[in-house]
Amino acid sequence: MKLLHKFVKNIPENIENGTIYISMDYATAIHKCCCGCGKEVVTPFSPTDWKLLFDGDSISLSPSIGNWSFLCQSHYWIRNNEIEWAPKWTKKQIKSGRNKERADKKSWRFLFNFF
């Protein structure tokens, strides 16, 4: 599956399937879940969230997108506008990943407030 990327100032009200909307003003991207469930996936850009790479032709997001709170629990990468499916995670892996995200955010806040 290939996504079309659109750079926008504001995220539109109606999110189209197969399109990822990128707002640099709001440091976020949004798209509909690639499994087809129709849920909207929000990926904010920050040192502890996602990073966007734009090579002038296509976009990539890192790290992978794990929709753990969705019924589908889809897991994929967006690389060069292409969806690359990642392995399904177990409940234990999801819990561990969430704990790591919380710790990363806590460390970043500590460093940011320190300086």
Side-chain angles (χ1 to χ4, degrees), residues 25-87:
D25 289 355
Y26 294 99
T28 197
I30 189 169
H31 67 283
K32 288 207 176 174
C33 184
C34 295
C35 82
C37 73
K39 294 272 194 179
E40 292 181 359
V41 179
V42 178
T43 50
F45 311 138
S46 80
T48 60
D49 290 305
W50 283 270
K51 287 145 189 62
L52 173 75
L53 175 65
F54 176 59
D55 66 7
D57 185 50
S58 64
I59 60 103
S60 297
L61 288 180
S62 180
S64 63
I65 297 166
N67 295 314
W68 315 131
S69 61
F70 296 174
L71 188 59
C72 67
Q73 292 196 331
S74 63
H75 185 203
Y76 50 88
W77 295 87
I78 299 176
R79 292 186 176 141
N80 301 315
N81 285 45
E82 296 277 345
I83 301 306
E84 293 181 26
W85 292 99

Side-chain angles (χ1 to χ4, degrees), residues 5-6 15 22 25-26 43 48 51 81 88 112-113:
H5 67 272
K6 289 186 180 180
I15 305 301
I22 303 155
D25 289 355
Y26 294 99
T43 50
T48 60
K51 287 145 189 62
N81 285 45
K88 201 111 168 125
F112 184 73
N113 289 331

